[in-house]
Each structure stands twice: as structure tokens, then as C-alpha cells.
Amino acid sequence: MQNFTFHPGPRLVSGAGSATRLAKHLPDGPCLFVTDREVVALGLTDACRATLGEVIVFDTVEPDPSKETLLAAVEAGRAAGATSVVGFGGGSPMDVAKLAAYLLGSGDDVDAIWGVGLATGRHLPLALVPTTAGTGSEATPVAVMTCEGGEKRGVNSPALIADWAALDASLTIGMPRALTAATGIDAIVHAIEAFTSARTKNPLSDLYAIEALRLLSTNLLTACAAPADLAARSAMLFGAHLAGLAFANAPVAGVHALAYPLGGLHHLPHGLSNALMLRHVLQHNQEAAREEYATLAQVLEPGCAGQGSQMQCALFIDRLAALVIASGLAPRLRDHGISQADIPTLAREAMKQQRLLVNNPCAIDEADARRLYEAAW
Ligand SMILES: [Zn+2]
């Protein structure tokens, strides 16, 4: 049997009202509750907060959260003597919660732990509640912050994995269509990049990635067109979680590396950034990842099983490009305010994402990155 390690992720509670069942798993004492104002205004946090006793609400997390925001959350938790942390919302509040729980528990300095495996201390007891179906952050050991100069820096360490996650699809019903589409495509990219991850993909991460892609690709357009369809929302939330578990063990790669500068420099949402780069990075990878893409094509279209791998690979890329368009996202960089003059800077910034680029099935250098942004423009 292949040598591999697999982290199973947080313990789960799922179903309607599951976030209200987290309290009994957390210690007594003040709970640092990390969220954003929109999630609070929608009333999504009310039932969970009511079960938690003393709560310090930190609701000023912005999209692409900054290191300053993280440090303010840590300070709020420290001042109140927090004994646990809950992250409630999309990827941004969850990422801030993960790092805040770690910094509060370990006493480490955040600037000493950027990168892979450098966070080795213990976090405060931590529970996460996703309200989008996309980032899978509730499943993963990764948290990404926007640092000086717009650079995205990440911490990737098992010490960031939450103790508990609650999957309640009813919390995702109110997501607007564009967010449903972008976060859904992000989750699909997680599944694909995990399945082709160059270094640590393994039979379990493959299993999760395939089931994630099946659930996400069959339910995305229903979730976009019929936002209150709870069955589709549940499939998307579970699919995003499985994709998170897959890439927690087999990290994402080139699509994400090229997507991050679009968020860091131009503030495009993370899922949209991935959707814009998906087709072009897959085309760049298609020789190196042909067998994997051919396998995944059969998940999108079981009827193509008898075709050769080259045809399956082409069909895979076409189907995903069509899915991005059918979800309603405008598919080109120029549709989102990026100018051609921005491309050299984007390519230079993408080269800083070596922690991701090393997972790509083939190399992407700066000239490749420029060409891929041009193709996406
Ligand atoms: Zn992502």
C-alpha cells in the first residue's frame, strides 16, 4: 500500500440547528465569536450565540481579511480572557477564527508561523460554522491573510484544524446568486486541484475529491437557479466540506496561485478569481494531468467512459468552462476591471505563491503566468 498520511478533519455535527449543538462541546468561560456584520445582520448567528453563555462578538472581519484584523481579534479575545473561539460565516471569518484561536492558545507571533508546518503549538478550543458552500475552511489546516503590500500569506499546519464544525445548509439559503456561483466554483477547484496535487495526494483524498466534484457539479446550477432548494444547498455544503478535506490533505495548486493576486491586488472575490483562471490553468496542465482529468471527466459525464483520455481531457475542460458561464459569472479578467497593463505585476505576484505552485502537476514560471493571465484577459 502507498505510504501516506491523512488528517480526518474536525468532528462534525450536521443538519438543521446543528450550530446550536456546539456549545456543549466547548469549555465554560468567554467565547470569542468571530464573524462579519453581514452575517450578523441576516440574523444567522442569533440561535448559536444564544446557546454560548458569555460571548465576545468580533464582527468586523472584512473580505480578504488583513493581518491587522486578525491581531485586533486576538487582542479582543485576550482582553476578555477567552477560553474558546467560534468562527461563523464564510472563509474570511473562519480563517481569522482559526488563526486567532491558535495565537491565543499558543502565544506564538503570527510573523513566525507563515508557511507550512511552522505552527506547532495548541489552539484554544475551536468550532467553525460555514454560511457559504465553498471555501471548505471549516475542514482545512489553512488560513490566509492579506499582509503588507496586498500580499496573501498563509499558515498551513495541522495545529489550525478546528475541533468541531457544524454543517447546517439552512444557513446558506440566503446566499446571493453570484456568491453561490463563485463559492461553488471555488469548491470545485479545490476538488480538482486536490485530485491532481503533485506531492501528497492519496487514495483517501482522491475518494473525497471525486465525491465532492460529483455533488458540486450536479447541484451548482440548481442552487443558483433555485436558492431555497435545501437538497441542493445541502449537497453543495457537504460537497464543499469534502473538497476541503481533500485539499487539507492534498493541497491546491496553480489555479489558486494565479487567483490570489487577483484578490490581493484587485479585491476580486476568491471564488471568482479561481473561476477566471480555471480553464487556462487546466489547459496548461493538460499534458501532465491527462489521466487524472480523464478520470474526473467521467464524474462530470459518466457517458464518456469509453472515449480516449485525450478526448475526455478536452471534454473535462470544456464542461467546466461551460459550468462557469452557466453559473452566471462573467468569465474574463477584462469583465472585472483588470487591464492588460496589470498582467506583469499579477504574474510577478503569483510567483510568490510557491507553497501552492509546488503542488501543480507541472511547472508554472513567470512567463507561463503572464501567458495564462493574457489568455484569461
Ligand atoms: Zn479556494
Side-chain angles (χ1 to χ4, degrees):
M1 195 170 186
Q2 176 192 340
N3 282 342
F4 68 92
T5 55
F6 186 89
H7 195 299
R11 284 165 284 180
L12 275 188
V13 288
S14 90
S18 52
T20 62
R21 308 206 309 264
L22 292 170
K24 64 175 180 264
H25 303 295
L26 297 173
D28 290 336
C31 173
L32 175 65
F33 193 96
V34 182
T35 183
D36 67 44
R37 290 202 173 115
E38 208 170 329
V39 170
V40 172
L42 289 168
L44 301 180
T45 66
D46 295 351
C48 176
R49 274 161 60 188
T51 63
L52 284 171
E54 187 185 344
V55 171
I56 307 109
V57 177
F58 185 88
D59 66 357
T60 49
V61 177
E62 73 279 35
D64 300 299
S66 68
K67 190 173 107 177
E68 285 70 32
T69 296
L70 166 65
L71 296 179
V74 170
E75 193 42 50
R78 188 170 286 140
T83 58
S84 65
V85 178
V86 169
F88 199 114
S92 300
M94 288 194 285
D95 278 13
V96 170
K98 286 155 81 174
L99 273 174
Y102 177 78
L103 296 172
L104 286 165
S106 67
D108 283 359
D109 179 343
V110 70
D111 284 323
I113 59 166
W114 301 120
V116 180
L118 298 178
T120 56
R122 289 181 70 89
H123 60 238
L124 287 187
L126 169 66
L128 298 173
V129 185
T131 61
T132 63
T135 69
S137 180
E138 77 283 357
T140 76
V142 182
V144 178
M145 296 291 125
T146 304
C147 295
E148 295 81 1
E151 185 187 345
K152 295 280 198 165
R153 304 189 80 177
V155 177
N156 181 340
S157 164
L160 259 55
I161 293 175
D163 302 296
W164 288 91
L167 300 183
D168 179 353
S170 68
L171 298 172
T172 69
I173 291 283
M175 264 202 292
R177 179 176 177 132
L179 188 63
T180 300
T183 54
I185 297 288
D186 182 33
I188 285 172
V189 177
H190 294 157
I192 295 167
E193 296 212 287
F195 195 74
T196 59
S197 196
R199 298 179 308 155
T200 57
K201 92 187 212 92
N202 62 70
L204 267 178
S205 66
D206 286 353
L207 207 61
Y208 282 59
I210 284 179
E211 180 61 4
L213 182 63
R214 190 187 69 76
L215 287 166
L216 295 162
S217 62
T218 30
N219 287 282
L220 176 64
L221 297 181
T222 307
C224 286
D229 186 322
L230 196 59
R233 292 292 196 185
S234 298
M236 292 300 293
L237 187 61
F238 190 51
H241 185 72
L242 294 182
L245 288 170
F247 92 86
N249 290 279
V252 293
V255 182
H256 274 73
L258 269 63
Y260 273 127
L262 296 170
L265 299 175
H266 298 280
H267 307 292
L268 265 50
H270 173 76
L272 172 64
S273 304
N274 276 302
L276 296 173
M277 299 315 299
L278 176 60
R279 173 186 203 132
H280 309 287
V281 176
L282 294 185
Q283 278 168 341
H284 177 77
N285 292 350
Q286 63 182 323
E287 289 307 316
R290 180 184 296 173
E291 293 306 318
E292 287 87 353
Y293 290 170
T295 301
L296 295 180
Q298 296 167 55
V299 177
L300 297 184
E301 176 140 351
C304 76
Q307 298 175 9
S309 63
Q310 192 151 5
M311 278 180 70
Q312 289 171 330
C313 189
L315 179 130
F316 176 65
I317 296 171
D318 284 350
R319 277 298 155 95
L320 289 164
L323 192 61
V324 169
I325 290 168
S327 76
L329 298 175
R332 309 206 63 87
L333 294 181
R334 71 179 82 153
D335 301 326
H336 302 281
I338 310 293
S339 79
Q340 256 180 319
D342 297 323
I343 287 175
T345 309
L346 288 166
R348 201 169 332 116
E349 282 297 304
M351 291 302 103
K352 294 180 180 167
Q353 300 297 331
Q354 290 301 322
R355 79 180 169 91
L356 304 176
L357 290 168
V358 294
N359 303 311
N360 205 55
C362 61
I364 297 178
D365 64 18
E366 195 171 331
D368 294 326
R370 268 200 304 274
R371 188 171 48 73
L372 293 170
Y373 284 122
E374 288 283 355
W377 190 77

